[in-house]
Amino acid sequence: MTVVIGFEGSANKIGIGIIRDGEVLSNPRRTYITPPGQGFLPSDTARHHRAVILTVLKEALEQAGLKPADIDCVAYTKGPGMGAPLVTVALVARTVSQLWGKPLLGVNHCIGHIEMGRLITKANNPTVLYVSGGNTQVIAYSERRYRIFGETIDIAVGNCLDRFARVIKISNDPSPGYNIEQMAKKGSQYVELPYTVKGMDVSFSGILSYIEDAAHKMLSSGQCTAEDLCFSLQETLFSMLVEITERAMAHCGSQEVLIVGGVGCNKYAEAFKFCIDNGAMIAQAGWEMFRSGQVTELEDSWITQRYRTDEVEVTWRD
Amino acid sequence: MAAAGEANGGTGKLESSLDVPFPSSREATIALRSLSPDKEPRKGGISKLITVSGSTLSRWSADEARILRVSVNSFLDHLSLVMETMEMFGPPVAV
């Protein structure tokens, strides 16, 4: 029996989860939500996490009905993500790891999403579409690495959605993407936007500039509604993602797609709570890594804003 | 006594030091090992050294007051989080 606690706080969600052999015992989380029209900045986000992290840690233990002695390993997000929030969370993870005398494990955030997706869906060897506010990658497992087959060459798809939400000043509660999705349902007119697939990769910053400009012109002249723009943006972005995912599936001969990351919540409400950043996904990846013999020494436990998915040796799969 | 330091171009025109007492040298070492792994976000103009001997001592040198202030402020925020964590989830288990 192996019990792992996972700490996640690389963006605006702070979550701590406990997993015992594939069972999620607890997974409390808090989200830092900014007013409409504003994004979240690193220092404010870190401040938010710092204010709640110890309370969330207590909740995680209480809801799981466990004491620190019952934990076998402390996993935390090493990266990628925003620097200041990552440090805040790593500090607590390192400290409790030493207080409780438990080994520490630095986890790649993207791999956390993938391992949680594999646990929940029990998919055999899917092509993974990882889409969030910070990341957009098409990933397939091959020979001990999660290989990146395609990715964004500039901003993440979720970043494009979030920044468009700011332009039309819709609420960030519960998330800008969720509110865009609700508005898109009421859209009736398709507005043509640039379609920018580049081979195996995608680009979103051009679409963002275009739609920001279009929003100012077309909304004030009444040519279309904000709902129409939300609808058109979603259609364009998701078609592009489908194209690069299909291309990767054709290369790999794979029949299944696993969608992970916060943007995966869109239309896929079932695994909702695990798509959004959470502590249990870090615990799950940590569980796999720990059982295959990996450990992070304190001196090597520094956080990093850039951390490629294919940098990690996937020692827990053949 | 344990030490962890990093020098990334600070020429040492301005200096600051901080001595933080801990209940035991074990706890001071825990704090040191939690606080030292991350590199200073700023690539140049600041150098920070943290050592432990009984309590935790930190020493900075920086080119400009502004850079020094930011580094010391961040350190104090981080230190207080580590200390709160130790208070809530300590004492450390017997080795």
Side-chain angles (χ1 to χ4, degrees), chain A residues 133-155:
Chain A
N135 294 281
T136 296
Q137 297 172 7
V138 178
I139 294 157
Y141 173 75
S142 172
E143 290 183 31
R144 302 241 149 161
R145 297 274 158 156
Y146 284 117
R147 318 247 168 209
I148 301 172
F149 273 69
E151 60 186 319
T152 176
I153 62 175
D154 41 57
I155 60 175

Side-chain angles (χ1 to χ4, degrees), chain A residues 31-188:
Chain A
T31 306
Y32 173 47
I33 298 180
T34 44
Q38 290 181 34
F40 52 90
L41 296 169
S43 50
D44 300 328
T45 308
R47 207 165 297 131
H48 167 271
H49 291 356
R50 192 226 176 297
V52 299
I53 186 170
L54 296 178
T55 307
V56 176
L57 175 51
K58 277 184 109 179
E59 276 177 25
L61 289 164
E62 275 161 24
Q63 286 168 20
L66 294 179
K67 297 180 303 305
D70 304 320
I71 308 273
D72 295 304
C73 169
V74 176
Y76 70 100
T77 305
K78 184 176 174 66
M82 299 172 101
L86 282 169
V87 170
T88 301
V89 175
L91 286 171
V92 176
R94 289 179 200 130
T95 305
V96 298
S97 147
Q98 294 178 82
L99 289 173
W100 300 342
K102 307 292 177 182
L104 188 65
L105 249 179
V107 173
N108 178 301
H109 179 91
C110 316
I111 295 189
H113 277 293
I114 296 173
E115 292 307 328
M116 198 59 175
R118 286 181 64 225
L119 176 72
I120 301 286
T121 63
K122 308 208 188 313
N124 184 26
N125 195 16
T127 299
V128 178
L129 174 60
Y130 172 32
V131 276
S132 71
N135 294 281
T136 296
Q137 297 172 7
V138 178
I139 294 157
Y141 173 75
S142 172
E143 290 183 31
R144 302 241 149 161
R145 297 274 158 156
Y146 284 117
R147 318 247 168 209
I148 301 172
F149 273 69
E151 60 186 319
T152 176
I153 62 175
D154 41 57
I155 60 175
V157 61
N159 192 240
C160 183
L161 290 163
D162 292 350
R163 285 161 72 177
F164 175 63
R166 282 185 235 164
V167 166
I168 58 174
K169 291 213 168 28
I170 61 179
S171 170
N172 292 320
D173 189 2
S175 79
Y178 177 84
N179 292 324
I180 289 180
E181 188 182 0
Q182 302 320 305
M183 285 179 70
K185 290 175 185 169
K186 299 181 220 146
S188 52

Side-chain angles (χ1 to χ4, degrees), chain A residues 299, chain B residues 1-6 29 32-33 36 49-53 57:
Chain A
E299 298 71 42
Chain B
M1 177 164 139
E6 137 189 37
T29 305
L32 170 81
R33 299 186 79 196
S36 45
L49 177 69
I50 319 177
T51 55
V52 166
S53 62
L57 179 66

Side-chain angles (χ1 to χ4, degrees), chain B residues 9-71:
Chain B
T11 57
K13 291 198 188 96
L14 291 165
E15 288 183 3
S16 180
S17 72
L18 191 67
D19 191 347
V20 185
F22 279 87
S24 69
S25 106
R26 168 109 189 268
E27 276 153 307
T29 305
I30 290 178
L32 170 81
R33 299 186 79 196
S34 292
L35 292 162
S36 45
D38 300 308
K39 305 172 184 50
E40 285 289 302
R42 198 187 166 88
K43 288 191 174 48
I46 183 84
S47 101
K48 181 176 90 196
L49 177 69
I50 319 177
T51 55
V52 166
S53 62
S55 51
T56 297
L57 179 66
S58 325
R59 261 196 217 96
W60 287 262
S61 74
D63 294 336
E64 293 169 43
R66 174 180 56 90
I67 303 172
L68 183 65
R69 178 171 46 82
V70 168
S71 182

Side-chain angles (χ1 to χ4, degrees), chain A residues 279-298:
Chain A
M281 76 187 194
I282 302 301
Q284 176 58 19
W287 185 91
E288 295 277 24
M289 292 168 76
F290 183 61
R291 287 179 43 125
S292 71
Q294 291 198 40
V295 146
T296 305
E297 297 302 323
L298 273 160

Side-chain angles (χ1 to χ4, degrees), chain A residues 178-241:
Chain A
Y178 177 84
N179 292 324
I180 289 180
E181 188 182 0
Q182 302 320 305
M183 285 179 70
K185 290 175 185 169
K186 299 181 220 146
S188 52
Q189 195 194 146
Y190 173 68
V191 175
E192 184 140 4
L193 300 172
Y195 183 90
T196 44
V197 168
K198 318 265 182 195
M200 301 291 294
D201 296 324
V202 281
S203 160
F204 297 117
S205 59
I207 301 177
L208 178 62
S209 321
Y210 186 93
I211 197 172
E212 282 174 339
D213 197 56
H216 290 124
K217 293 205 184 93
M218 296 175 85
L219 293 180
S220 50
S221 70
Q223 271 177 274
C224 70
T225 63
E227 286 79 359
D228 296 332
L229 289 175
C230 288
F231 166 67
S232 308
L233 183 60
Q234 280 196 168
E235 285 302 304
T236 308
L237 297 179
F238 295 159
S239 303
M240 288 166 55
L241 292 171

